[in-house]
Amino acid sequence: MNMSINEIENEIVEEFEMFDNWIDKYEYLIDLGKSLPKISDSEKTKENIITGCQSQVWLNAKEKDRHIIFYADSDAIMTKGIIAILIRVLSFQKPKDIINAKLEFIEKIGLKEQLSPTRANGLVSMIKKMKIYALGFEQKL
Amino acid sequence: MSDNSDIRNMFPILKSRVNDNDLVYFDNAATTQKSKEVIKELERFYLQENSNIHRGVHHLSQVATDSFELTRKSVKTFINSKFTHEIIFTKGTTDSINLVASSLGRLLKKDDEIIISEMEHHSNIVPWQLCCEISGAKLKIVPINDSGELDMIIFNELLNSKTKIVAITHISNSLGTINPIKEIIKLSHENNAKVLIDGAQSAAHVSIDVQELDVDFYCFSAHKLYGPTGVGVLYGKEEILNQMPPYQGGGEMIKEVSLHKTTYASLPHKFEAGTPNIAGVVAFKKSIDLLENFGLKTIKEHEDALLSYATKELKKIEGLIIVGTSENKSGIISFNINGIHHYDLGVILDKMGIAIRTGHHCTQPVMRKFNIPGTARISFAYYNTFDEIDRCIKAINKAKDMLL
């Protein structure tokens, strides 16, 4: 049985509580970004690009056993780090749970500013698109 | 100038702490900080003079009108125009360019030509594209070379008897290049074309004399001159402004209105429909006073010194590439570091209290020319210091360690 979205969120919050300065936290994010599997150039299509004013995000999704698996990539490493966290939370979950996810942990780990629409890094649109995928899959199921 | 604490004290926001660090503000090409005098004047206007300007017979309206018109006189002196009524107040540089493109554009015919350059801010591209769509005129583009300079040979080739308008930036906001506008104006006039200069990045950094330049239109924004946001200037030659149809209709700009026909007010009111940003215009005078007290020559010397020091120090960073390497540059440095996305650099510098701008800087054609998605950009003002450059370089090196 997979961990629930809530359980994963709590796990991440605990991990981030270990950091007592921004440098360690950002270095961890950068590491997460670097270890996120890349999407191949051929999969970076016009259909799955999310253009932010600053950085770009590519997002793909597929369905397996009534769960959704997300793949994503970005040209900016900080953005990729946050993508890695979002994928850890939302991938392999049921469409309904993805749609209802509030993702309040982002604020708890002190990265809310990274998800503000003014950052224009594509992440806000990415979360929206993840939910739209979930909605689409749910209607198909 | 080793210690400019007196000048820094004039700008209260420079004492801010950002993410537990003293703020280093290197985003002056986007907007400059405001002096205490400007901020105080905004308050004074609302406390003592607030009223709508022009046509009011009561005391406050007269006082407010006088203050408003005093700024127009200041701008006239500041750029040395022949007449005060050649100074039109707008919302900003973008608004000034749109005014000319829309109004003068109505006098264009199919097959007329407009010349802009590859290094223009989107604000000096899109209004002309709209103008071409409506009039059928054609847009011609002066390319830039690898140093980020205009190709003057091609510019010369593009000029012909069909050229009606040449719209070029004085200083590139993403490359820092100072363009040879005097030569551009002279060559354009030889072909009977009118010239608009986008002075958004220049008016606070180099001395402007519109009569000596013989320029037809010169546009700039108060907020990049240590003044309030929402105030811009369009300078235009009297003779041309008189020939142009009004841009927007409304109050203030009319002489007489009947339900079928309206006659228009004389300059500058013909182009100032509606209630303007009165407090902003009034306070703008304080920032012009400040620039005149500092002296554009002194400002330029200091900013040139900052530019050459920062360029020298940045070049020491391995893998750092400066975009825009003209010999003739203003205090703007765009750069990239191999293997690092500009966004990541901007986010990490912000954590260290350093405000820079990242992205395409509203000049996507420039980014396309250099085949990059964007740059990190440092831009200076008179209050910046060598010490701040040292802190910025240190922070860039730290960011590089973290990101690579």
Side-chain angles (χ1 to χ4, degrees):
Chain A
M1 170 92 187
N2 282 342
M3 281 172 79
S4 74
I5 288 179
N6 257 338
E7 283 164 353
I8 303 171
E9 285 188 3
N10 289 337
E11 198 179 75
I12 293 170
V13 171
E14 268 174 42
E15 277 170 30
F16 272 79
E17 274 167 0
M18 295 187 312
F19 304 122
D20 50 13
N21 64 59
W22 73 269
I23 293 182
D24 292 347
K25 187 156 77 181
Y26 275 45
E27 277 178 339
Y28 179 60
L29 271 178
I30 292 163
D31 285 343
L32 286 176
K34 284 179 181 167
S35 56
L36 183 74
K38 287 193 171 92
I39 286 187
S40 69
D41 282 349
S42 60
E43 282 177 286
K44 290 179 181 172
T45 60
K46 271 186 186 164
E47 285 71 42
N48 64 17
I49 194 167
I50 300 163
T51 309
C53 194
Q54 296 276 337
S55 58
Q56 310 190 87
V57 173
W58 292 270
L59 176 71
N60 277 338
K62 68 175 187 188
E63 187 246 319
K64 196 182 171 197
D65 303 333
R66 297 179 173 260
H67 290 69
I68 300 178
I69 308 171
F70 289 109
Y71 307 88
D73 203 345
S74 172
D75 48 358
I77 202 79
M78 293 288 302
T79 308
K80 256 181 103 165
I82 296 167
I83 288 175
I85 296 177
L86 287 169
I87 287 186
R88 183 168 148 201
V89 174
L90 295 178
S91 211
F92 295 100
Q93 298 292 342
K94 289 183 188 135
K96 202 175 160 213
D97 296 338
I98 296 168
I99 296 162
N100 293 328
K102 290 199 176 69
L103 304 175
E104 281 160 348
F105 77 104
I106 300 276
E107 193 171 350
K108 289 187 194 148
I109 62 175
L111 291 175
K112 198 182 167 214
E113 81 232 23
Q114 296 299 328
L115 283 159
S116 112
T118 58
R119 281 281 179 173
N121 52 15
L123 284 170
V124 175
S125 312
M126 174 177 143
I127 293 173
K128 224 180 260 169
K129 203 153 177 200
M130 286 171 119
K131 294 197 171 209
I132 290 170
Y133 269 125
L135 209 60
F137 281 117
E138 194 188 45
Q139 279 162 0
K140 262 199 295 181
L141 290 175
Chain B
M1 189 171 50
S2 55
D3 177 24
N4 59 358
S5 56
D6 287 354
I7 291 152
R8 292 183 69 81
N9 284 337
M10 294 177 188
F11 298 86
I13 208 170
L14 297 178
K15 291 201 175 67
S16 302
R17 299 272 297 168
V18 172
N19 294 321
D20 294 327
N21 289 280
D22 288 332
L23 167 70
V24 172
Y25 187 76
F26 278 168
D27 193 20
N28 295 288
T31 197
T32 50
Q33 297 304 345
K34 318 308 169 199
S35 75
K36 233 183 271 175
E37 293 300 312
V38 168
I39 299 163
K40 264 169 34 193
E41 185 67 357
L42 283 168
E43 190 185 24
R44 190 198 65 80
F45 176 81
Y46 283 121
L47 286 174
Q48 298 174 9
E49 293 184 357
N50 180 52
S51 181
N52 210 335
I53 53 166
H54 302 129
R55 295 163 196 268
V57 293
H58 60 82
H59 171 75
L60 282 181
S61 175
Q62 305 246 331
V63 174
T65 304
D66 287 348
S67 293
F68 187 88
E69 291 303 323
L70 210 56
T71 302
R72 206 187 301 273
K73 288 200 184 94
S74 275
V75 176
K76 174 202 179 284
T77 313
F78 183 63
I79 61 170
N80 191 33
S81 68
K82 198 167 171 190
F83 305 110
T84 309
H85 57 253
E86 291 176 319
I87 307 299
I88 316 284
F89 287 120
T90 63
K91 288 186 290 184
T93 308
T94 301
D95 194 31
S96 299
I97 297 171
N98 273 283
L99 190 163
V100 177
S102 165
S103 167
L104 199 60
R106 265 181 270 162
L107 305 177
L108 293 182
K109 293 185 293 291
K110 195 172 169 286
D111 296 329
D112 283 344
E113 292 178 2
I114 299 168
I115 298 179
I116 62 168
S117 87
E118 197 178 7
M119 70 163 78
E120 299 311 311
H121 188 283
H122 296 164
S123 293
N124 200 26
I125 299 175
V126 185
W128 302 111
Q129 290 174 339
L130 291 169
C131 170
C132 286
E133 272 174 35
I134 293 164
S135 63
K138 290 192 181 68
L139 202 58
K140 301 283 171 178
I141 317 289
V142 187
I144 54 176
N145 64 21
D146 292 343
S147 307
E149 297 161 326
L150 295 178
D151 187 328
M152 290 300 285
I153 295 169
I154 297 192
F155 173 64
N156 245 313
E157 287 169 6
L158 288 175
L159 274 172
N160 67 73
S161 60
K162 289 185 208 157
T163 312
K164 294 293 180 282
I165 301 168
V166 174
I168 300 276
T169 191
H170 193 164
I171 293 173
S172 156
N173 74 307
S174 54
L175 301 161
T177 317
I178 304 177
N179 287 323
I181 57 163
K182 210 167 170 190
E183 190 187 345
I184 289 169
I185 294 163
K186 189 172 160 277
L187 292 167
S188 305
H189 284 170
E190 283 167 14
N191 281 274
N192 295 317
K194 294 181 174 61
V195 182
L196 176 141
I197 297 294
D198 170 357
Q201 296 300 337
S202 44
H205 308 281
V206 292
S207 170
I208 311 294
D209 182 330
V210 290
Q211 289 191 74
E212 199 221 323
L213 287 168
D214 195 27
V215 67
D216 302 299
F217 301 101
Y218 200 95
C219 313
F220 57 100
S221 300
H223 75 95
K224 295 194 205 275
L225 275 73
Y226 312 103
T229 52
V231 175
V233 170
L234 167 66
Y235 158 79
K237 278 184 188 161
E238 178 194 46
E239 192 195 336
I240 306 170
L241 289 174
N242 274 330
Q243 289 163 8
M244 285 161 51
Y247 171 46
Q248 291 174 327
E252 192 66 51
M253 53 77 71
I254 54 96
K255 191 171 166 200
E256 200 169 340
V257 177
S258 76
L259 287 174
H260 298 289
K261 177 73 191 162
T262 295
T263 49
Y264 305 115
S266 55
L267 293 175
H269 310 295
K270 179 170 117 181
F271 291 108
E272 292 181 355
T275 299
N277 180 353
I278 305 169
V281 169
V282 170
F284 180 29
K285 184 180 183 303
K286 295 292 175 188
S287 65
I288 297 172
D289 291 349
L290 195 75
L291 282 166
E292 284 180 334
N293 281 338
F294 293 156
L296 260 312
K297 193 168 166 277
T298 313
I299 292 173
K300 182 148 188 349
E301 276 166 14
H302 177 62
E303 292 176 358
D304 281 351
L306 292 173
L307 170 70
S308 74
Y309 179 67
T311 306
K312 187 180 90 194
E313 293 302 308
L314 283 168
K315 278 182 176 168
K316 290 180 188 164
I317 299 172
E318 212 192 308
L320 187 141
I321 301 150
I322 292 177
V323 182
T325 49
S326 170
E327 287 289 309
N328 202 8
K329 268 181 73 167
S330 182
I332 291 172
I333 310 174
S334 257
F335 62 93
N336 276 306
I337 299 172
N338 281 334
I340 294 178
H341 194 280
H342 51 78
Y343 174 77
D344 293 322
L345 184 65
V347 167
I348 291 180
L349 290 192
D350 174 56
K351 276 284 171 195
M352 293 186 259
I354 297 166
I356 64 161
R357 189 145 293 254
T358 59
H360 54 62
H361 318 294
C362 292
T363 57
Q364 286 179 350
V366 172
M367 300 302 129
R368 227 163 275 141
K369 149 85 188 166
F370 289 96
N371 200 20
I372 47 179
T375 69
R377 182 188 73 184
I378 292 171
S379 54
F380 301 120
Y382 190 50
Y383 44 62
N384 287 128
T385 67
F386 294 93
D387 181 55
E388 288 180 302
I389 295 173
D390 289 339
R391 273 192 52 205
C392 181
I393 299 285
K394 224 171 133 185
I396 293 171
N397 278 312
K398 172 76 193 162
K400 212 183 131 191
D401 286 346
M402 288 175 72
L403 288 163
L404 284 180

